[in-house]
Amino acid sequence: LFDFQKFSVKLALKKGCFALFEECGLGKSFQQIEWAYQVSKKTNKPVIILCPLAVAQQTILEGQKLHIDIVKYNQNIVFDNTKSNIVISNYEQLNNIDTSIFSGVVLDESSILKTFSGKTKQLIIEKFKFTPYKLACTATPSPNDILEIGNHADFLNIMPSNEMIARWFINDTMNFGGYRLKKHAEADFWNWVSSWAIMFSNPSDIGFNQVGY
């Protein structure tokens, strides 16, 4: 990994439950694979990566570049503690997966959590409520999309999204159904987000060499 990627992975491992909000092209796939490998090695238990339908095979190939084996999940799979024990599956298969066997979960394209009351979001949060290690990866969260940030905090067991809204936001009368960050709470809110997520669009944003980006 590049130095900025190592920094992000180590930070995510140290926190246990963490979000990588990084721009496209910064190697989130490599980072999540390395994170999954380290969690599996630490816990001697399998880790699952959940991803959109078309991404699974691409992630398996990325793993090969790091010499880390990733296999597609099936209900008859037998885990071997001498191997990396990383499996991958599509979000659409979540109902058919026994999530209790995993010590860690990675959400690839975690913007799937965006819908506040969506069935998939609720299922993900419920299925992995007691999973000790969690990583959410996406390039898309907007500082203005409060519900998406709140849903990530909910998934990561940081804070329920409705509690986040009650603590730092007020109803935006100019935007029906929306919320506005309280003026006096801005620094406190973003310091809180920074305690469980890292956001950057260029390595130089977090103090690393930006050559090639």
Side-chain angles (χ1 to χ4, degrees):
L1 302 182
F2 292 112
D3 287 344
F4 77 90
Q5 295 171 333
K6 292 178 184 178
F7 174 82
S8 299
V9 171
K10 287 180 179 179
L11 187 58
L13 289 167
K14 182 179 179 180
K15 295 288 185 176
C17 294
F18 201 71
L20 301 179
F21 297 148
E22 302 177 13
E23 185 59 84
C24 294
L26 293 175
K28 286 189 295 299
S29 293
F30 285 147
Q31 292 171 66
Q32 69 189 32
I33 291 168
E34 179 65 19
W35 182 92
Y37 172 74
Q38 294 295 340
V39 170
S40 175
K41 188 169 70 170
K42 169 78 173 178
T43 62
N44 285 321
K45 290 184 177 181
V47 174
I48 187 168
I49 299 173
L50 291 175
C51 65
L53 193 60
V55 177
Q57 189 58 39
Q58 177 185 338
T59 303
I60 291 171
L61 293 174
E62 295 285 78
Q64 291 174 2
K65 296 176 184 177
L66 297 175
H67 308 290
I68 295 174
D69 292 328
I70 304 170
V71 298
K72 287 187 177 179
Y73 174 85
N74 68 73
Q75 291 175 314
N76 299 316
I77 196 166
V78 177
F79 293 104
D80 179 352
N81 284 339
T82 65
K83 298 181 179 179
S84 60
N85 282 339
I86 302 172
V87 299
I88 192 165
S89 188
N90 306 315
Y91 287 110
E92 291 80 3
Q93 298 298 318
L94 190 51
N95 270 318
N96 304 317
I97 297 174
D98 177 10
T99 57
S100 66
I101 65 175
F102 299 106
S103 63
V105 56
V106 176
L107 299 189
D108 187 6
E109 303 295 347
S110 60
S111 54
I112 196 168
L113 296 170
K114 189 169 186 170
T115 307
F116 184 71
S117 58
K119 289 183 179 180
T120 302
K121 184 214 80 170
Q122 297 288 1
L123 182 63
I124 291 169
I125 290 175
E126 289 169 12
K127 281 269 196 176
F128 294 102
K129 184 175 182 179
F130 300 107
T131 304
Y133 293 91
K134 304 181 190 182
L135 185 69
C137 304
T138 182
T140 61
S142 164
N144 300 316
D145 197 329
I146 300 310
L147 295 183
E148 184 173 355
I149 293 173
N151 288 343
H152 275 82
D154 208 344
F155 163 70
L156 295 170
N157 287 26
I158 307 297
M159 182 184 292
S161 53
N162 57 349
E163 183 179 332
M164 180 201 79
I165 291 170
R167 181 174 297 192
W168 286 292
F169 294 85
I170 58 175
N171 285 316
D172 187 351
T173 56
M174 301 298 291
N175 182 15
F176 181 73
Y179 298 94
R180 178 165 52 84
L181 186 56
K182 299 173 184 175
K183 285 289 185 183
H184 68 275
E186 287 184 5
D188 187 49
F189 174 72
W190 291 115
N191 283 334
W192 172 72
V193 174
S194 296
S195 71
W196 55 265
I198 191 167
M199 303 183 186
F200 59 95
S201 55
N202 192 302
S204 63
D205 293 342
I206 55 171
F208 289 90
N209 194 321
Q210 68 176 37
V211 173
Y213 291 92

